[in-house]
Amino acid sequence: MKPITIIKDEAYADDLLAQAQQKTLNIFLTDLKLPDYVEEILASLEQAGYEAYVVGGCVRDVLMGRMPADWDVCTSALPEETAVCFAEQKTILTGMKHGTVTVLADGRPVEVTTYRIDGEYLDSRHPSKVEFTPSLEEDLQRRDFTMNAIAYCPSVGMVDVCGGRVDIAANMIRCVGDAEQRFREDALRILRGLRFAATMGFALDAETAAAVDSCRTLLRHISKERINQEFSKLVLGEYADEVINAYYKVLKICAPGIVRTALKGLPESLPVRLAVLFPRDTVQALRNLKFDRVTINMASAVSKLLERRNKPSVERGEMLRLLREAGREVTELYYAAADQRRPDSVRVFPFLEELLAENPCYLIEHLAISGKDLIEMGMKSGPAVGDALDNVLDLIIEGSLKNDRDELLRHIANTECKNEKGWKEQKNELQCKTNLGH
């Protein structure tokens, strides 16, 4: 897939479309292979006298050679009629107000939605009302992007009134109808378009790109939870760098605190990418975007490490101390992020990988002994046990001790301060027990 480009020249865009139409005749002739449970849903509706098609992202994905995550069906049947068709199957009827009946087929949810026309949008997100229509074409004309406005059923074939297949072939994101109107109806479509660009490597056509810019302030009306869903997918996209650079002014509206930076080469980990994108006030920025506590804490930890440490150490003791302090996952993300930020220097992540392959001891639970062993030796239960374990762990990390049960027990038995730590027994008795392997 070619790197994303922002198409601003209409003549060039038209030429690209013409070329695409020539090279994609197979798309126009291809019958889609649908899962059996989806074909059964279509057949049930058709046998009852209704039209039924798979529609939207699932058709787009199949045309692109991808496996759809889920399948959506549109139909001329009214919601109540759909419910009757599937009365013998388990259905979820909570979406009937908007025309949707969810049919559970083979345990998989399939949303079956009546053809509809959306009423006026009053809040840049939701239509004031939904009107049902017998026309598939009217239903397709209300959708966001041409690539998502294609319908298919085995008995009829493809229905593509918006030119979506040509745009897919041209790697282009184009709004259905007037782009500015589409975004003023539902501003979340702006972020959806950028997410598609970041994950697919598609370009926005000139009109769509201009409307994204002119309508960007409408994103302030969208809930942070909805922004979170799209933004998280965007930053994990293969082409996220290109989208962030091209549409930085737009993203600053919905993700305050974001900085221009390179993500390419980073692990496909949401916390590490957020840490790099929000290096200042990381916690507050991610709270504003409604990220969960675990994600916020991990991103904040990585961000702090990147800020306070010029370069990760490759010295064994230092790596073990950081693993102990920050945990394995945060340390791995930090080392990987540091390598990406300094591509011209010696990579440090392989040193960490090599160390971790040894299954080193850097946590109390990795020790070859436990608090129970010390109590059985005669140490009083209490803080002294934890102190003794912490002490030997420090010595293991610095390389003065091996993580060997007998060696650790002998060291603790010979520690000069053992009487101050609450030992019950005499030194010689403890040493005797240790030598016997207790």
Side-chain angles (χ1 to χ4, degrees):
M1 185 179 292
K2 294 181 179 179
I4 184 173
T5 55
I6 309 304
I7 298 177
K8 297 181 179 179
D9 185 326
E10 284 288 5
Y12 169 69
D14 290 342
D15 181 59
L16 185 60
L17 286 175
Q19 294 178 41
Q21 192 160 12
Q22 288 298 315
K23 70 181 181 181
T24 53
L25 292 177
N26 285 340
I27 288 181
F28 289 90
L29 298 175
T30 298
D31 289 329
L32 303 190
K33 173 60 179 169
L34 306 180
D36 291 342
Y37 69 92
V38 175
E39 287 202 5
E40 289 171 5
I41 288 176
L42 298 181
S44 295
L45 287 163
E46 288 183 338
Q47 288 167 11
Y50 307 109
E51 297 176 8
Y53 296 80
V54 288
V55 68
C58 59
V59 179
R60 177 201 70 221
D61 286 346
V62 172
L63 291 175
M64 292 178 64
R66 301 180 175 190
M67 177 62 69
D70 47 45
W71 295 84
D72 293 320
V73 171
C74 62
T75 180
S76 60
L78 294 172
E80 297 79 7
E81 294 168 335
T82 300
V84 171
C85 281
F86 299 99
E88 296 184 1
Q89 292 181 245
K90 187 171 182 180
T91 55
I92 301 172
L93 306 179
T94 52
M96 289 184 68
K97 177 182 176 182
H98 300 287
T100 300
V101 173
T102 302
V103 179
L104 295 177
D106 284 353
R108 302 176 181 90
V110 177
E111 291 190 354
V112 180
T113 303
T114 303
Y115 302 155
R116 69 189 196 193
I117 305 170
D118 294 335
E120 184 181 1
Y121 285 75
L122 302 177
D123 60 357
S124 297
R125 181 69 188 100
H126 302 100
S128 57
K129 62 179 180 177
V130 170
E131 295 180 11
F132 301 132
T133 174
S135 169
L136 170 62
E137 182 172 341
E138 286 184 330
D139 181 84
L140 296 177
Q141 293 283 2
R142 72 174 176 82
R143 295 176 182 266
D144 52 6
F145 304 109
T146 59
M147 64 183 181
N148 296 332
I150 309 169
Y152 171 82
C153 75
S155 60
V156 175
M158 293 284 184
V159 178
D160 179 14
V161 297
C162 302
R165 287 170 294 175
V166 171
D167 286 341
I168 290 173
N171 294 350
M172 186 177 295
I173 299 169
R174 182 192 300 273
C175 282
V176 174
D178 181 81
E180 191 164 309
Q181 180 183 343
R182 290 285 87 82
F183 293 147
R184 291 194 179 281
E185 289 171 348
D186 181 356
L188 188 64
R189 289 170 174 166
I190 296 171
L191 205 53
R192 277 172 55 81
L194 299 188
R195 187 252 292 181
F196 287 133
T199 56
M200 297 178 177
F202 280 21
L204 275 64
D205 81 294
E207 182 186 348
T208 302
V212 163
D213 185 63
S214 64
C215 297
R216 66 182 186 275
T217 58
L218 296 175
L219 286 167
R220 295 194 178 105
H221 300 294
I222 304 302
S223 73
K224 297 300 184 182
E225 290 82 1
R226 300 303 299 272
I227 287 174
N228 180 308
Q229 292 174 8
E230 296 294 339
F231 184 77
S232 296
K233 296 173 184 176
L234 188 159
V235 301
L236 291 173
E238 183 180 354
Y239 300 91
D241 283 350
E242 291 85 346
V243 171
I244 291 170
N245 285 328
Y247 296 100
Y248 182 63
K249 288 194 303 182
V250 177
L251 293 172
K252 282 202 304 181
I253 297 291
C254 61
I258 190 173
V259 300
R260 275 193 174 107
T261 188
L263 300 179
K264 202 172 295 292
L266 286 176
E268 290 186 19
S269 161
L270 185 58
V272 74
R273 295 197 173 204
L274 294 174
V276 171
L277 287 169
F278 298 93
R280 295 180 292 275
D281 297 323
T282 307
V283 171
Q284 189 57 50
L286 299 186
R287 280 179 180 165
N288 288 341
L289 286 171
K290 303 299 182 182
F291 280 98
D292 62 272
R293 180 176 55 82
V294 173
T295 300
I296 291 173
N297 289 344
M298 288 188 63
S300 175
V302 173
S303 179
K304 288 177 181 176
L305 287 170
L306 289 169
E307 180 182 10
R308 79 172 191 241
R309 294 172 180 250
N310 183 42
K311 184 177 180 180
S313 173
V314 295
E315 192 272 319
R316 181 184 180 88
E318 286 296 316
M319 289 191 287
L320 289 172
R321 273 185 276 276
L322 183 57
L323 285 164
R324 183 184 186 182
E325 172 193 341
R328 176 168 180 160
E329 189 169 5
V330 168
T331 302
E332 287 182 309
L333 293 175
Y334 163 54
Y335 271 67
D339 274 346
Q340 185 274 339
R341 288 159 69 92
R342 299 176 179 83
D344 297 330
S345 61
V346 177
R347 296 184 69 244
V348 294
F349 188 71
F351 290 91
L352 180 66
E353 281 186 309
E354 184 178 347
L355 175 63
L356 290 171
E358 301 173 10
N359 293 318
C361 175
Y362 57 86
L363 296 175
I364 293 292
E365 50 263 39
H366 297 163
L367 289 171
I369 60 172
S370 67
K372 182 180 178 182
D373 293 318
L374 302 189
I375 293 170
E376 287 179 352
M377 285 177 58
M379 182 177 279
K380 289 181 181 178
S381 179
V385 174
D387 290 344
L389 295 175
D390 281 333
N391 178 58
V392 294
L393 181 58
D394 287 337
L395 295 174
I396 290 170
I397 287 175
E398 70 181 36
S400 301
L401 270 180
K402 291 182 180 179
N403 188 25
D404 175 81
R405 186 176 188 278
D406 291 342
E407 185 173 339
L408 296 179
L409 292 176
R410 275 195 298 271
H411 172 82
I412 292 174
N414 286 316
T415 300
E416 292 181 0
C417 63
K418 58 184 174 300
N419 289 326
E420 299 174 9
K421 296 296 184 182
W423 291 98
K424 294 178 181 178
E425 306 296 332
Q426 297 298 317
K427 175 179 178 180
N428 58 355
E429 183 177 351
L430 291 173
Q431 290 176 326
C432 179
K433 288 183 177 181
T434 301
N435 292 333
L436 290 174
H438 288 274

